[in-house]
Amino acid sequence: MVTYEELIQMALEARKFAYTPYSKHKVGAALLTKDGKVYTGCNVENAGYTPSNCAERTAIFKAVSEGYKEFSAIAVVGGFDSTEKLPICAPCGVCRQVLMEFCDPKTFDVILGTDVPGEEKVMKLEELLPLGFGPSNLEV
Ligand code: THU
């Protein structure tokens, strides 16, 4: 099974593909499925700005589009290449909501990584999105 340290390394590799001509803020994500497969993603920006996609959603949409819908964790790393080290980069609100669609907020781990081993923080989705609205809210 992949370790969280390895997942962070995969997110750092994915970050290298970030397409960020506008913000220069490069983000990478590595999403772990419950059966141990990893889907990576990077942010992909657009001249129209709003069509831009975050790294986390790229990873989720890649996975779901290939039939995977059960996930246990995601590692996220992001920041500018110009800084000495990458700070913690927490998922934006839209990505938290997209995670809420597929992940159990009580058990799903969001690994907030950096490029410094050991400086990561691990939070449950529920901590990042308290009282999140999800599929169970639409069950009758
Ligand atoms: N971004 C992500 O890809 N993930 C995050 O968690 C935060 C923000 C991207 C979106 C945009 O391309 C750039 O970072 C600056 O907001």
Side-chain angles (χ1 to χ4, degrees), residues 23-59:
S23 75
K24 314 277 190 241
H25 185 264
K26 296 165 69 173
V27 185
L31 177 67
L32 182 62
T33 68
K34 283 193 178 164
D35 62 1
K37 199 169 157 56
V38 177
Y39 283 92
T40 59
C42 63
N43 51 336
V44 182
E45 297 186 345
N46 187 277
Y49 284 38
T50 49
S52 301
N53 204 51
C54 291
E56 297 90 323
R57 274 177 288 145
T58 302

